[in-house]
Amino acid sequence: MAGHGSFRNGARVTVLLNDALEENADLTLNKDLIRWVLSRIDPTTRHTPQRS
């Protein structure tokens, strides 16, 4: 669903997550990071960090 039915977009999600995690050791895989990646794939998706 996150890749909007496209294998290419699904692969892009994986690449963007991997790149972000490699570039910043302080990041962890969480909902906010995934929302950020999805906003990169689909600009109409808003990235609003969730409060814990």
Side-chain angles (χ1 to χ4, degrees):
M1 189 167 101
H4 301 285
S6 168
F7 180 77
R8 182 174 291 172
N9 283 341
R12 188 166 178 221
V13 168
T14 303
V15 168
L16 288 170
L17 283 171
N18 190 44
D19 289 349
L21 291 169
E22 282 183 356
E23 289 175 11
N24 189 339
D26 294 335
L27 288 178
T28 58
L29 184 60
N30 59 28
K31 288 181 182 180
D32 287 334
L33 181 58
I34 293 170
R35 284 187 182 101
W36 174 80
V37 166
L38 294 178
S39 72
R40 299 280 311 251
I41 300 287
D42 182 2
T44 63
T45 304
R46 295 177 184 226
H47 174 244
T48 53
Q50 299 269 326
R51 298 198 189 267
S52 300

